[in-house]
Amino acid sequence: MWDTVARLNETADQAGVVQLLTQAASQLGADAACFIGSVRLSASRRAHRLIAACDPAWASDYLLRQRFEHDPWLLHARRGTDPALGSAIPPASVDQQDTVAAAHTAGLRSTWVIPAISSVGEDRIGVLYLASGVVGRFEQDPLLAFRVKVVGRSLAMELHEWLHIQMRRELLAESRLTDAEIDLLRHEEQGHGSKAIAIALNTEPKTVDCRFQRIIAKMGVASRREAWRVARVHGVI
């Protein structure tokens, strides 16, 4: 089991990770598994990624219908770090009830919800769902539940790190940020204004502003502060 978890770091493609996740889930007595990564891009916008070793139709529906907006299990991961049974997380709205019902229909009937701890808090979260199609499977087997909690936490953290690395690579490939532009974002991180940055770089404030405008365009964000936030949660700075 631990060997399967350790091999995640050696796997470069998502298909390989899904295969290892399927294997790990089976070893833990689960029929299905899904890891959800959520990154805050702005005050009102988040990006979500799934590594799904479960019903592909459910995974597609989850993203298409943006069920992450009404997922009580994902909300649990945003609020705390303790693993919990899905049955112990009651839906708080009709939309949340519908999201849980869709998961049950797809075979996630007895589910452990295992958050992955992040160094940047709620800005980057991850959660692992380990599920059985048998109602009460994990609720009725304390020994199995303990094993899932212990090993599942390590599995969640490895998946979180793997997905973080992939998203960082994708951001850099898509935005094509240069080292100089990343250095500008480091100045933004320190709260330096254009005048202070211009002095440090021996240039003009308007030149600094122009460079930030290029960064904003490259990253598809609304401001230099948002550019810094996106770079930070992706581990670019």
Side-chain angles (χ1 to χ4, degrees):
M1 177 65 238
W2 292 109
D3 177 64
T4 303
V5 175
R7 285 164 58 197
L8 284 168
N9 284 331
E10 304 168 3
T11 306
D13 64 291
Q14 184 155 327
V17 170
V18 170
Q19 184 177 8
L20 288 173
L21 178 55
T22 303
Q23 186 176 334
S26 177
Q27 291 170 348
L28 287 169
D31 304 320
C34 178
F35 184 83
I36 302 174
S38 176
V39 174
R40 188 200 297 274
L41 302 179
S42 68
S44 59
R45 188 164 63 101
R46 301 185 73 98
H48 296 82
R49 289 278 296 275
L50 267 64
I51 302 174
C54 59
D55 183 350
W58 171 81
S60 297
D61 174 80
Y62 188 93
L63 291 175
L64 183 63
R65 298 198 180 193
Q66 299 184 345
R67 292 193 184 275
F68 43 78
E69 298 288 353
H70 308 287
D71 184 348
W73 300 346
L74 181 60
L75 184 60
H76 167 79
R78 289 174 61 177
R79 291 176 173 173
T81 59
D82 291 332
L85 285 163
S87 57
I89 306 172
S93 67
V94 173
D95 287 334
Q96 289 189 9
Q97 290 174 1
D98 184 55
T99 296
V100 171
H104 287 177
T105 300
L108 285 74
R109 294 185 175 89
S110 178
T111 306
W112 269 108
V113 178
I114 307 173
I117 301 171
S118 170
S119 60
V120 292
E122 192 182 332
D123 282 345
R124 187 176 73 242
I125 62 174
V127 59
L128 172 65
Y129 299 161
L130 287 172
S132 171
V134 179
V135 176
R137 173 77 168 102
F138 295 124
E139 286 86 345
Q140 297 168 9
D141 191 334
L143 184 59
L144 178 60
F146 176 77
R147 186 169 178 237
V148 169
K149 285 175 68 176
V150 173
V151 182
R153 279 183 165 180
S154 295
L155 180 58
M157 289 303 299
E158 291 295 335
L159 288 165
H160 196 40
E161 180 61 20
W162 185 89
L163 189 56
H164 170 54
I165 291 171
Q166 301 310 307
M167 293 180 74
R168 177 181 182 274
R169 288 174 177 168
E170 290 169 8
L171 175 66
L172 289 173
E174 291 171 3
S175 65
R176 298 189 179 183
L177 290 173
T178 65
D179 290 342
E181 288 169 337
I182 293 173
D183 283 339
L184 276 180
L185 291 172
R186 292 195 178 98
H187 280 287
E188 179 66 23
E189 182 176 33
Q190 298 298 318
H192 299 162
S194 295
K195 289 183 178 180
I197 298 173
I199 292 172
L201 299 181
N202 193 27
T203 188
E204 297 294 325
K206 63 181 180 180
T207 301
V208 172
D209 291 337
C210 287
R211 290 177 181 175
F212 269 117
Q213 286 302 316
R214 282 198 294 270
I215 293 172
I216 289 167
K218 281 184 172 185
M219 298 181 70
V221 295
S223 68
R224 56 202 272 180
R225 200 61 183 172
E226 279 192 22
W228 162 77
R229 176 192 289 277
V230 172
R232 182 179 70 98
V233 298
H234 284 81
V236 173
I237 56 175

